[in-house]
Structure formats: C-alpha cells, structure tokens
Amino acid sequence: MIPIVPGCILIVLVMLDIVRTTLTTKGEGLISSAVTQGFRQFASFAIRKGHKLSEATGAASILALVSVWLAGLWAGWVLIFVGLYDAINHSGYPAVELHDLVYFVGFTLSTLGVGDVTPNGASAQMVTVLASLNGLLVITLTVTYALAVVSGVVTRRVLAYKIHLAGGEEGDFLMKHTAVDDFAAWVADIRNELVTCTEQRLAYPVLDNFVSKEDSHSLAIQLARLGLTSLEVSRNGSVGEQSKRELKELLTVLYRYTALAGITDDDLEIRLRRLGRRDGWVADR
C-alpha cells in the first residue's frame, strides 16, 4: 500500500501540469515551463551560432514535453500497481516481476490492451480502467495541443512575412508607403493580427521555441523593426491625431507581447531590441 500514495501524488501533479498547459490558455505548468525554457535557451544559443539545429527546437520541445508527461504518468501508475497485492496475472509465467507491471501499465495507458497480462481482482480491474481512461484523455489533450501550437506557428510566420514584405527587410517601412497616414492605417491592420498572435503566445508559450534562421519568417525580428519605426514616427510632432492613436495602440500591444515573452524593461525600445536579438537580429538602426 505504501507506493500507492506517492503514485497518486505523481499522477495528480502531472495531470495538473497537462491541464494547465493544454486547456487553461493561461500559460504553462511548472513541469512544462522547465522543459520548454530549457529548449528555448538552447534555441537562442544555436541561432546565434548559426546552427540549422535551432529550427528543430520547437518540435523537439513538444516531443520532450510529451515524453516527460508520459514518463511521469507511467511511473505513477506503476507505483499504484506495485502497492496493490498480486495486482496482475501473466499468462505465460507464474511469477510476476516488476518489468511485467511496467509493461502492463504501458499498454494500458496507450489503450492497446495486448491481453497477455491481465488485472487480478476487483481493485486491480478498476485501477486498470482508470489508467486506461487517463491514457486516452492525455492522448487526446496532447494531440489537440500540438495541433493548436502548429496553427499558432503558421499564424506567426504569416504575420512575420507580411511585415517583411511591407518593409521589414531593412526596416524601411516608410519607403513602402506614400504618406505617414498610409503607414499608420496599415499598422492598424497589423495590430489586429498581432493581438491574435499575442493571445496565442499567452496560451502557448512554447511558440517562442519555433525560431527561424530567416529574418523574413521571424516574428520577433519583424516586430522589433516595425516597433522601432512606429516609435520613431509616433514621436514626430507633425503626425495627425488619428495616426498617432493607431501607432500608440500598436505599441501598446507590442508592450504586452514583450512582457509575455519575459522582457520587462521599462523602455519599449529596449524591449524591442532585446526581442529581436533573441532570434539573432543585430540592430541595424
């Protein structure tokens, strides 16, 4: 009976982390945050060194996170079955060993139901049902989570490339617009799309792990360039009130976006430059 308590605690902790990460849209749990932050630091280091490997850190962090979740649940259910006396029967061997329990829990969580090892007694049968339901729930949540993250990655890259085409290559946005008012009106459209990306970033912080070696597809670099230009234009005394309001709203969203990314300097210009440098940008302004 003794292993049952730590087993239950481990399962509860892992499930709380999974639910927090996949369902609440308020960020990651403690376990998830530790895993994704580690990969994010590696991505930042790799991209500064110019390694192609940096572009794989997003997918790698998702796989690592799911593996950690699975390992935690697997270990927790094994502890529970260890605590149940004579919990399983093995069709081929009279004596059941630890590896049989590990094997049984593995195919139960995966809902495969191989059948050569079966639960023994009412308690073990009910625990097996719970483990199977737990595995089915986790599989559903992780697949849904992965699809949402992929959708978020596409949305970010589309926005980054859109900004790039409008002058983000060299930060010459004003050269692409005939007047400041035209630039401000275009900024209003970008702001609406950025709000979506900001909320996706809040829901799925792992999105920061999907970096690109190409400036044109790096949202961090494109936002840094756009934000710096918008700051400069907004400080121009000859800009109309409507244009100033639209630029201010964009800068407000950028302030929130950088805060969610963990950049908390008081000055927005510093925030933007730090955001761009995360993806290897060397400020050209």
Side-chain angles (χ1 to χ4, degrees):
M1 290 292 293
I2 295 178
I4 294 179
V5 174
C8 290
I9 293 174
L10 181 57
I11 291 170
V12 169
L13 290 176
V14 174
M15 287 306 301
L16 287 175
D17 190 81
I18 293 174
V19 171
R20 165 76 181 183
T21 303
T22 63
L23 290 182
T24 64
T25 69
K26 295 297 183 180
E28 300 170 323
L30 293 176
I31 300 173
S32 303
S33 179
V35 173
T36 57
Q37 282 297 323
F39 276 91
R40 177 59 193 169
Q41 291 174 4
F42 172 77
S44 298
F45 169 79
I47 202 166
R48 287 195 299 269
K49 297 297 183 180
H51 296 319
K52 185 77 172 176
L53 187 61
S54 60
E55 297 184 337
T57 54
S61 60
I62 295 291
L63 292 175
L65 181 56
V66 173
S67 298
V68 170
W69 285 341
L70 178 60
L73 292 175
W74 201 333
W77 285 109
V78 167
L79 287 173
I80 290 176
F81 277 98
V82 167
L84 295 174
Y85 176 74
D86 199 21
I88 63 173
N89 293 316
H90 197 302
S91 60
Y93 304 95
V96 175
E97 299 182 5
L98 179 60
H99 71 271
D100 295 311
L101 285 172
V102 174
Y103 167 65
F104 174 74
V105 170
F107 74 64
T108 299
L109 283 175
S110 65
T111 69
L112 291 176
V114 176
D116 55 338
V117 180
T118 56
N120 182 33
S123 297
Q125 289 172 343
M126 291 307 300
V127 172
T128 300
V129 171
L130 292 176
S132 182
L133 290 174
N134 186 202
L136 180 61
L137 175 62
V138 170
I139 290 172
T140 303
L141 289 178
T142 52
V143 170
T144 304
Y145 173 72
L147 291 175
V149 170
V150 170
S151 176
V153 172
V154 173
T155 300
R156 287 159 64 97
R157 288 184 177 173
V158 168
L159 179 57
Y161 196 60
K162 184 176 181 178
I163 298 173
H164 170 78
L165 292 177
E169 182 176 1
E170 298 295 339
D172 57 347
F173 297 97
L174 297 180
M175 296 292 292
K176 300 286 185 177
H177 298 86
T178 56
V180 171
D181 289 341
D182 293 334
F183 171 69
W186 172 77
V187 159
D189 292 334
I190 293 298
R191 179 201 63 219
N192 294 333
E193 296 181 49
L194 180 56
V195 168
T196 299
C197 289
T198 301
E199 294 308 309
Q200 286 178 331
R201 169 58 181 76
L202 172 62
Y204 309 111
V206 72
L207 287 170
D208 283 347
N209 291 23
F210 289 82
V211 298
S212 174
K213 285 182 62 179
E214 299 177 3
D215 288 7
S216 59
H217 290 85
S218 169
L219 184 60
I221 292 176
Q222 296 304 321
L223 289 181
R225 287 174 171 163
L226 176 61
L228 290 173
T229 299
S230 299
L231 270 174
E232 183 179 323
V233 173
S234 67
R235 292 166 179 166
N236 189 332
S238 62
V239 178
E241 289 302 318
Q242 177 65 26
S243 296
K244 275 191 175 182
R245 182 162 53 252
E246 290 170 344
L247 290 169
K248 182 179 179 180
E249 290 175 354
L250 172 70
L251 295 174
T252 299
V253 178
L254 283 172
Y255 198 85
R256 172 173 166 77
Y257 184 92
T258 52
L260 291 175
I263 304 174
T264 57
D265 300 84
D266 293 334
D267 189 274
L268 179 57
E269 181 174 343
I270 296 175
R271 287 190 179 203
L272 292 170
R273 293 183 183 278
R274 287 186 59 193
L275 180 68
R277 285 198 296 270
R278 283 191 175 185
D279 278 15
W281 179 51
V282 178
D284 47 22
R285 296 175 55 82

